[in-house]
Amino acid sequence: MNSKGIISGEIILGFELEFSIDGSTLAVGGYDLVRDFGFVKVYDVRELFYVDCTVEKPEQIGNGFCDMYEPYYSDVCGYDGGDCGFPVLVEGYDNCMVAEPAFIGNGFCYVDGVLPFSSEQCEFDGGDCPNPSPVEGYPNCLVSFPERIADGTCLDSLPYNSYECGFDGGDCLPPEFAQTFTL
């Protein structure tokens, strides 16, 4: 891909964007007429975009609101595009790392038992969420609230929106795929 043009009233001439052949780098270059110099900056695409981040609503990534559940709250999605802080270790729980440690064991099962809160490491939200149980028709799907699978509403978080749970029993699949998906 290559783009050329004039930006901001002819201040920068010959502005150019170019991807490497394998798509891993983006080069931005041009000539600044006001300051009388040429420039080229090369970026690693994985540092600019979340290319491995797969979510139902990508517009929620980096929208200013922290979605503290996976897949939005994950390394590959940049912890919701920078909307959330980095995970911190919850005191008293080995390997339990979440954005808001105060939510663990506060008497409320956070967002229907989603990851990372309702994980074995976080003792299923500090005991606030039921232990995961199997879902009929999905032998490898274990969730805290099996009745939420295929209830007509996409619960776009892990483990519900996963292959093992049939992408929330089909609720998170586009309509054209919902009829054809099987495990």
Side-chain angles (χ1 to χ4, degrees):
M1 181 177 138
N2 193 335
S3 175
K4 296 180 181 181
I6 298 172
I7 292 184
S8 188
E10 300 183 28
I11 293 174
I12 297 176
L13 180 66
F15 183 75
E16 186 173 346
L17 295 173
E18 195 168 312
F19 281 101
S20 62
I21 291 173
D22 67 358
S24 65
T25 58
L26 171 68
V28 179
Y31 191 82
D32 185 330
L33 292 175
V34 173
R35 296 185 199 120
D36 193 30
F37 74 90
F39 63 90
V40 174
K41 177 74 177 168
V42 179
Y43 299 93
D44 182 336
V45 171
R46 291 188 180 278
E47 292 176 9
L48 295 176
F49 306 103
Y50 306 107
V51 296
D52 294 324
C53 178
T54 305
V55 294
E56 183 191 26
K57 298 174 184 168
E59 67 276 7
Q60 288 184 209
I61 301 290
N63 67 352
F65 177 77
C66 175
D67 296 297
M68 285 187 284
Y69 50 87
E70 294 180 12
Y72 297 90
Y73 188 74
S74 64
D75 186 49
V76 296
C77 292
Y79 299 102
D80 197 17
D83 292 341
C84 301
F86 289 108
V88 295
L89 187 62
V90 179
E91 190 177 323
Y93 297 89
D94 291 339
N95 299 315
C96 175
M97 297 186 73
V98 297
E100 292 290 337
F103 288 4
I104 301 293
N106 67 350
F108 175 73
C109 180
Y110 186 74
V111 192
D112 296 317
V114 299
L115 298 174
F117 295 91
S118 188
S119 64
E120 195 172 342
Q121 294 87 350
C122 295
E123 296 179 18
F124 307 106
D125 200 355
D128 294 338
C129 295
N131 287 348
S133 57
V135 178
E136 187 176 331
Y138 301 96
N140 296 315
C141 177
L142 297 170
V143 295
S144 292
F145 297 95
E147 66 275 8
R148 293 296 312 269
I149 300 290
D151 66 353
T153 302
C154 173
L155 187 52
D156 187 23
S157 55
L158 295 175
Y160 296 88
N161 189 10
S162 65
Y163 176 81
E164 293 78 11
C165 294
F167 303 99
D168 194 10
D171 292 343
C172 295
L173 289 172
E176 60 270 21
F177 294 112
Q179 298 299 321
T180 61
F181 180 79
T182 57
L183 285 179

